Amino acid sequence: MLEFLSTNLLWWHWIAFGLILLILEIFSGTFLMLGLGTSAIIVGVIEVLFPMNIEMQLTIWLIFLVITIAWWFRYMQNNSIDETGQSNYTLKTKGTVIKTIKPNSRGEVKFDLPVLGNTTWIATSKEELPVNTRVKIIEVKGQLIEVASL
């Protein structure tokens, strides 16, 4: 099999294979075939410049494949710890108490930036927070937000 590929596999086969994978990527949206396709195109270009055997071509393809997938996971994914996943706001959002919050009771807080679409929220706290106290979000619990003073 490798002997057959060594004699019949040309540089443009790699480029065509890469383009087919890139076209399939358009329909899948997984970004996995993006790495496969770009790696195949790179091998095709290298094969034009420096002819080599099939084993070397497959090795170079696998090396570039690992590099592109590693690059994808390293730079293209957002793994921020301070995001709750429910919205684009972060737990660093600050606010001001507009209705006194007694310990383990409810009050109201107005945030500087919208949190899940609203700037005013019913909030709880483990400490007493008088009106005009600056607070930060500790945790989002469904329809309640737990806050603490800055």
Side-chain angles (χ1 to χ4, degrees):
M1 180 71 177
L2 284 178
E3 185 177 315
F4 174 76
L5 289 175
S6 292
T7 57
N8 295 323
L9 187 65
L10 302 174
W11 62 270
W12 64 268
H13 291 120
W14 280 105
I15 293 176
F17 178 59
L19 291 174
I20 289 169
L21 289 171
L22 291 178
I23 290 169
L24 289 174
E25 174 60 41
I26 292 171
F27 299 108
S28 72
T30 61
F31 293 103
L32 176 65
M33 285 188 249
L34 182 65
L36 292 165
T38 54
S39 299
I41 291 172
I42 290 170
V43 170
V45 171
I46 291 173
E47 172 67 15
V48 168
L49 301 174
F50 309 103
M52 60 189 110
N53 61 18
I54 187 68
E55 292 87 2
M56 185 61 79
Q57 292 173 23
L58 290 172
T59 303
I60 291 173
W61 182 61
L62 289 173
I63 289 170
F64 279 114
L65 176 62
V66 169
I67 289 171
T68 55
I69 290 175
W71 176 80
W72 171 255
F73 281 107
R74 174 73 172 108
Y75 295 106
M76 301 306 285
Q77 290 188 343
N78 185 7
N79 294 327
S80 180
I81 294 172
D82 60 351
E83 289 190 14
T84 65
Q86 297 180 15
S87 181
N88 289 335
Y89 78 94
T90 65
L91 295 177
K92 296 177 184 173
T93 302
K94 308 289 186 260
T96 306
V97 176
I98 57 175
K99 184 177 176 187
T100 303
I101 304 173
K102 298 199 183 283
N104 299 316
S105 186
R106 296 179 181 186
E108 286 187 34
V109 175
K110 182 169 181 146
F111 292 100
D112 300 336
L113 298 171
V115 176
L116 298 172
N118 290 325
T119 54
T120 304
W121 278 87
I122 295 175
T124 62
S125 178
K126 293 181 179 172
E127 58 185 303
E128 184 166 346
L129 299 172
V131 175
N132 294 327
T133 303
R134 293 291 289 166
V135 294
K136 63 181 177 179
I137 298 174
I138 300 297
E139 185 178 3
V140 177
K141 298 177 179 178
Q143 296 295 319
L144 295 175
I145 296 180
E146 184 178 337
V147 295
S149 64
L150 291 175

